[in-house]
Amino acid sequence: MKNIQRMIEERGGYEAVRENYLRLENPPFMRLVVEVIGGPYENGGYEVSVAHYGEQNGDAMRDPEITFLVVPAEQGTTWTPLTFENSYMGCYQVVAEATREGRLKVRNAALLRDLRDFANQWDLNL
């Protein structure tokens, strides 16, 4: 999620994005919204939502939204998927949970691997 990380850094970091979420419009594509929704945790990590939004019958629809546990480190920031939602498909999956300390409790290791691959491709497409 290097492109999303760069966007956050360009806008002042996680605390700045927590106060004012990122909303990127690029018609005809769906709008992209990045929000800091949790943290900071004891390990310096944050929970970040990245979502494409469409609209159906006046309702905002996620297509998709992935929440991540984002932990800065000397070797580079790690983005670990926690949840996946696609409103159009009625799909919501919890892959892992973040503890208060910022550690992970993985619920579905196979889906975690799939979402990491998807998120990397998604980030390249942004």
Side-chain angles (χ1 to χ4, degrees):
M1 300 300 290
K2 293 177 184 175
N3 289 318
I4 298 295
Q5 180 69 40
R6 181 178 40 76
M7 289 178 206
I8 290 171
E9 289 169 0
E10 287 173 354
R11 284 156 180 88
Y14 297 101
E15 289 301 321
V17 172
R18 176 194 291 277
E19 296 298 318
N20 297 301
Y21 63 91
L22 304 177
R23 179 181 171 140
L24 305 164
E25 303 275 350
N26 187 18
F29 301 106
M30 299 171 88
R31 71 181 175 271
L32 179 71
V33 177
V34 179
E35 299 175 272
V36 174
I37 58 174
Y41 295 110
E42 290 179 11
N43 63 356
Y46 288 87
E47 192 169 340
V48 176
S49 164
V50 179
H52 274 295
Y53 281 96
E55 192 172 299
Q56 183 176 12
N57 299 325
D59 294 328
M61 304 289 281
R62 296 168 180 95
D63 187 22
E65 175 192 37
I66 301 178
T67 62
F68 295 89
L69 175 62
V70 181
V71 180
E74 288 183 25
Q75 304 83 9
T77 302
T78 60
W79 288 69
T80 304
L82 299 174
T83 65
F84 174 87
E85 181 172 354
N86 185 313
S87 301
Y88 293 104
M89 296 176 59
C91 175
Y92 179 78
Q93 297 171 303
V94 177
V95 178
E97 297 175 51
T99 66
R100 283 187 182 177
E101 299 82 25
R103 293 193 177 94
L104 282 176
K105 290 183 180 179
V106 176
R107 288 187 175 186
N108 187 328
L111 184 55
L112 178 63
R113 283 189 302 275
D114 290 346
L115 280 181
R116 277 191 174 137
D117 291 343
F118 174 82
N120 288 331
Q121 185 61 49
W122 191 19
D123 188 58
L124 289 173
N125 292 341
L126 297 174

